[in-house]
């Protein structure tokens, strides 16, 4: 298994978050896209939506299942990746790059402490894979 | 435990299974059920042999007066229409009659193709863009449409016209209660929508057989940002404009009139169609057509990822299987008739019911209390309680209409379809005249 990028933080629900210019870019991890299989649809919030940390952000639908997505941090949705909406398969091919999902403002940077580091996340998915 | 010839497990098998799960006895598995509620004595007569059972059932069946046995003018949600022989012939094929819901759907290409055809026909009939593979019946389809509207609009009240079928209203209330949604019943001439109303649900023609002012009701819904849900009699669409033409967001129907016998109320099938932009919010499943790697046409079950058997408590609806055989009957019926055939059936219903209503209204003591255009049903005000009239009709070998005197004084809801001959209508009119004296 490839290691998760070190510069990101992770949720136990397989979202990643990257800080860029004081805002948070959010997506789902490589492990998540692999588990879900071919992604066919994302239900994402409109810009302006206020979310609290770990609140439901939207839904990812693959050919196999529909999964809820959770906000890794509290804040307001600033931008939605229209490319991911129109071509969900880019999340399969490039989950940490082109396949980002939403950009959010960060209401409270201390919430980052509640997220996992890459090492902790890798340990989590290693444990999940063994089950 | 008694030995049952249909249960292959031996005592030894049972002991081995109990050992694995760590239970001492089978009874221990039912500990959660209070002892007095376990194995209650069933008050049943002794078993019958096959020949005795057949006699018993024939006796019971003979107490029923089936609609085909005598002239029938009863509708009110379940309708007697002609069913071409090809419908029963096709749906009786073993391949169609026996399968359960396809869990490995793509191996069932024939079944998937019929579902695809069903969806296509429902879209064409309703003037909508997408249709699902079918619901349990028209009432559950209407309830699901209201829940879907609540989810799309993000609102928690349902507005429903008082002229929708009372049973459908009950089903909507039941579904709504489970989701914590409120239901407001409104008179058609006094629709007052508010910000909390997710949808306005209308039956067209209404329970009494009359056309609602569908366009202005739709405009009222739109002006309030509510979705417009329309429940139709599918046969009426042979003659009237489809709801897609007058702004419906979700169209549902009871499919029974399209090739399914009345059968004491079921199995029926619900038709469910909507706009493409709501596709992901639609309950149930949908079959798509695609091409395989060699370019051949293939049918695939899609959107089932939102269904209960995969998504459990978070499913879009609690629909898992559907009434596939009934949906197939609808498909064969519509294909056999074609648009022209459906139009002719609808014209027969319309003309014969107008003829019957005019003849009855001209009788002394009888009148038509409602105004407007009706399709195949209409309400007659009788000179006596409809219950008395119906009993007298039955004595003369005629099944009368539904007593709606709780809504309209001495009101009787009569239904005339293409199955009612001129002779039957004349007999009804003559009998009503005699009874009304």
């Amino acid at each position: 298994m490839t290691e998760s990028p070190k510069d990101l933080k992770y949720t136990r629900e397989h979202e990643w978050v990257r800080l860029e210019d004081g805002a948070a870019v959010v997506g789902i991890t490589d492990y998540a896209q692999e588990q879900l299989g071919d992604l066919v649809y994302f239900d994402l919030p409109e810009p302006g939506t206020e979310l609290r940390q770990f609140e439901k952000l939207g839904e990812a639908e693959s050919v196999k299942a529909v999964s809820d997505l959770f906000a890794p941090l509290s804040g307001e949705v600033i931008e939605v990746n229209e490319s991911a909406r129109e071509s969900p398969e880019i999340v399969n091919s490039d989950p940490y790059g082109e396949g980002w999902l939403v950009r959010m403002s960060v209401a409270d940077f201390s919430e980052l402490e509640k997220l996992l580091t890459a090492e902790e996340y890798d340990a989590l998915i290693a444990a999940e894979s063994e089950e | 435990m008694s030995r049952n010839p249909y249960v292959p497990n031996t005592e030894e098998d049972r002991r081995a299974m109990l050992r694995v799960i760590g239970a001492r006895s089978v009874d221990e598995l039912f500990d959660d059920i209070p002892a007095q509620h376990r194995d209650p004595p069933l008050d049943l007569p002794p078993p019958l042999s096959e020949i005795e059972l057949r006699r018993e059932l024939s006796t019971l069946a003979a107490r029923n007066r089936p609609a085909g046995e005598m002239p029938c003018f009863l509708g009110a949600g379940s309708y007697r229409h002609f069913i071409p022989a090809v419908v029963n012939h096709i749906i009786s094929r073993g391949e169609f009659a026996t399968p359960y819901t396809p869990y490995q759907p793509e191996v069932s290409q024939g079944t998937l193709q019929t579902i695809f055809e069903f969806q296509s026909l429902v879209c064409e009939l309703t003037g909508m863009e997408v249709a699902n593979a079918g619901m349990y019946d028209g009432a559950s389809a209407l309830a699901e449409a209201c829940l879907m509207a609540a989810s799309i609009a993000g609102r928690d009240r349902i507005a429903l016209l008082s002229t929708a079928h009372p049973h459908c209203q009950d089903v909507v209330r039941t579904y709504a209660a489970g989701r914590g949604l409120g239901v407001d019943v409104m008179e058609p001439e006094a629709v007052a929508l508010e910000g909390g109303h997710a949808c306005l649900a209308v039956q067209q023609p209404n329970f009494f057989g009359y056309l609602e002012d569908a366009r202005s009701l739709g405009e009222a819904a739109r002006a309030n940002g509510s979705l417009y849900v329309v429940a139709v009699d599918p046969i009426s669409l042979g003659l009237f404009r489809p709801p897609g033409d007058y702004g419906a967001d979700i169209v549902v129907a009871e499919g029974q009139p399209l090739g399914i016998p009345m059968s004491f109320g079921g199995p029926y099938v619900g038709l469910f169609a909507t706009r493409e932009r709501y596709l992901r919010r639609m309950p149930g499943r949908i079959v798509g057509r695609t091409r395989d790697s060699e370019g051949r046409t293939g049918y695939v079950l899609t959107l089932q990822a939102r269904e209960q058997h995969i998504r459990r408590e978070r499913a879009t609806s609690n629909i898992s299987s559907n009434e596939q055989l009934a949906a197939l009957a609808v498909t064969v019926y519509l294909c056999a008739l074609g648009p022209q055939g459906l139009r002719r059936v609808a014209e027969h219903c319309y003309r014969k019911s107008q003829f019957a209503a005019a003849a009855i209204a001209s009788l002394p003591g009888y009148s038509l209390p409602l105004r407007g255009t009706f399709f195949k049903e209409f309400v007659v005000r009788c000179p006596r309680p409809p219950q008395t009239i119906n009993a007298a009709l039955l004595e003369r070998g005629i099944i009368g209409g539904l007593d709606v005197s709780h809504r309209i004084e001495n009101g009787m809801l009569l239904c005339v379809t293409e199955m009612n001959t001129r002779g039957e209508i004349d007999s009804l009119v003559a009998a009503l005249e005699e009874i009304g004296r």
Side-chain angles (χ1 to χ4, degrees):
Chain A
M1 189 180 297
T2 54
E3 288 182 358
S4 301
K6 299 280 187 252
D7 56 332
L8 309 182
K9 288 279 213 168
Y10 300 86
T11 67
R12 298 186 159 271
E13 311 285 350
H14 312 291
E15 289 87 15
W16 57 258
V17 58
R18 177 168 55 225
L19 292 184
E20 271 180 23
D21 308 325
V25 180
V26 177
I28 62 169
T29 66
D30 189 40
Y31 175 77
Q33 69 79 17
E34 196 144 293
Q35 293 294 305
L36 286 166
D38 292 339
L39 288 158
V40 293
Y41 177 72
F42 282 100
D43 185 14
L44 298 172
E46 293 309 316
T49 308
E50 297 266 0
L51 294 163
R52 277 199 298 271
Q53 190 175 28
F54 305 131
E55 195 177 6
K56 185 175 163 181
L57 169 88
E59 286 182 346
E61 180 171 336
S62 71
V63 292
K64 285 196 281 193
V66 181
S67 305
D68 288 336
L69 303 171
F70 299 92
L73 297 167
S74 304
E76 185 185 321
V77 176
I78 304 168
E79 190 186 351
V80 175
N81 185 359
E82 291 302 329
S83 310
R85 268 183 174 163
E86 277 154 33
S87 318
E89 62 276 9
I90 66 171
V91 177
N92 286 115
S93 57
D94 190 8
Y96 299 115
E98 291 295 308
W100 65 278
L101 296 176
V102 295
R103 182 189 295 273
M104 299 173 64
S105 67
V106 182
D108 179 359
F109 284 92
S110 74
E111 284 178 351
L112 284 165
E113 302 299 318
K114 294 184 197 159
L115 300 176
L116 306 177
T117 63
E119 289 76 16
E120 287 165 338
Y121 181 69
D122 285 340
L124 175 83
I125 58 179
E128 268 192 26
S129 318
E130 270 170 34
E131 269 169 20
Chain B
M1 190 172 283
S2 65
R3 211 163 295 157
N4 183 319
Y6 299 108
V7 178
N9 306 328
T10 63
E11 264 313 310
E12 203 176 317
D13 293 335
R14 289 207 184 91
R15 276 197 299 274
M17 288 190 282
L18 288 167
R19 207 162 41 240
V20 169
I21 61 174
R24 279 186 306 275
S25 68
V26 173
D27 284 343
E28 196 183 309
L29 301 177
F30 296 95
D31 270 354
D32 290 334
I33 303 169
Q36 70 267 30
H37 296 304
R38 271 181 258 159
D39 298 324
L42 297 176
D43 184 19
L44 290 177
L48 301 177
S49 66
E50 184 174 341
I51 189 168
E52 288 169 324
L53 181 68
R54 281 176 188 251
R55 261 186 221 125
E56 170 82 13
L57 291 177
S58 303
T59 310
L60 286 175
R63 290 169 58 190
N64 186 27
R65 311 301 292 268
E69 188 184 297
M70 59 180 84
C72 172
F73 296 93
L74 184 61
S78 179
Y79 300 101
R80 189 164 166 248
H81 286 288
F82 181 69
I83 302 175
V86 65
V87 174
N88 206 36
H89 184 78
I90 299 285
I91 70 169
S92 301
R93 290 184 60 105
E95 305 91 315
F96 289 130
T98 60
Y100 186 57
T101 189
Y103 282 111
Q104 263 192 306
E106 278 67 48
V107 299
S108 311
Q109 285 292 306
T111 297
L112 292 186
Q113 184 179 351
T114 65
I115 299 175
F116 182 83
E117 302 292 351
F118 172 79
Q119 294 165 181
S120 306
L121 290 162
V122 171
C123 285
E124 198 175 331
L125 193 62
T126 57
M128 301 302 277
E129 291 156 355
V130 290
N132 70 15
M135 312 292 282
Y136 288 127
D137 58 18
S140 63
L142 176 62
E144 294 273 8
C146 293
L147 298 193
M148 174 174 144
S151 148
I152 292 169
R155 300 177 178 186
D156 61 3
R157 298 201 76 77
I158 292 159
L160 182 62
L161 284 199
S162 66
T163 48
H165 196 298
H167 294 173
C168 295
Q169 293 189 34
D170 287 345
V171 173
V172 170
R173 275 193 205 91
T174 304
Y175 273 62
R179 292 278 182 97
L181 304 173
V183 179
D184 298 314
V185 176
M186 299 178 181
E187 298 302 318
E189 61 280 359
V191 168
L193 295 174
E194 290 163 18
H197 286 124
C199 65
L200 175 63
V202 172
Q203 183 179 326
Q204 178 76 336
N206 66 26
F207 176 62
F208 302 106
Y210 288 77
L211 292 188
E212 300 286 5
D213 186 356
R215 188 172 287 280
S216 66
L217 289 164
E219 281 162 9
R222 197 166 307 104
N224 190 54
S226 310
L227 277 84
Y228 189 31
V229 176
V230 182
V232 287
D233 174 346
I235 298 279
S236 74
L237 299 180
L239 205 51
F240 300 140
R241 292 161 66 98
D245 275 15
Y246 50 83
D249 296 294
I250 307 173
V251 180
V252 296
E254 172 54 69
Q256 180 270 328
L258 307 174
I260 299 168
M262 296 201 277
S263 324
F264 211 72
Y268 286 179
V269 62
L271 277 46
F272 193 109
T274 186
R275 304 275 173 205
E276 192 174 356
R277 63 177 174 277
Y278 301 134
L279 175 67
R280 302 269 165 187
R281 304 286 192 163
M282 187 168 66
R285 56 180 56 160
I286 194 167
V287 170
R289 185 169 65 189
T290 184
R291 276 187 297 277
D292 70 6
S293 56
E294 290 165 38
R296 296 172 304 188
T297 297
Y299 296 91
V300 291
L301 196 49
T302 182
L303 287 190
Q304 66 161 349
R306 287 168 183 269
E307 288 197 279
Q308 187 208 12
H309 71 273
I310 289 182
R311 229 187 164 214
R312 311 276 171 193
E313 78 286 355
R314 287 186 296 164
T316 312
S317 81
N318 68 352
I319 293 291
S320 177
S321 28
N322 63 12
E323 308 258 14
Q324 190 46 51
L325 199 63
L328 179 63
V330 168
T331 310
V332 179
Y333 177 89
L334 286 173
C335 290
L337 266 72
Q340 288 311 312
L342 189 68
R343 186 180 174 89
R344 288 199 62 193
V345 171
E347 281 173 353
H348 275 288
C349 291
Y350 181 77
R351 291 193 181 137
K352 286 182 168 184
S353 61
Q354 308 298 316
F355 171 79
I360 296 167
S362 72
L363 299 174
Y366 292 89
S367 61
L368 300 177
L370 303 179
R371 293 183 181 282
T373 306
F374 57 87
F375 172 55
K376 68 187 181 195
E377 287 178 283
F378 52 94
V379 178
V380 169
R381 180 168 283 147
C382 305
R384 291 190 209 170
Q387 210 184 342
T388 320
I389 305 237
N390 272 335
L393 283 175
L394 201 56
E395 275 171 27
R396 290 165 173 76
I398 296 171
I399 297 174
L402 185 77
D403 182 351
V404 290
S405 48
H406 63 289
R407 285 289 298 264
I408 295 161
E409 194 197 347
N410 279 352
M412 182 190 274
L413 178 60
L414 287 162
C415 176
V416 181
T417 71
E418 80 280 11
M419 298 295 275
N420 298 107
T421 62
R422 170 70 189 262
E424 289 183 5
I425 297 169
D426 288 345
S427 311
L428 172 72
V429 174
L432 286 173
E433 182 175 21
E434 201 184 308
I435 299 163
R437 271 190 206 128

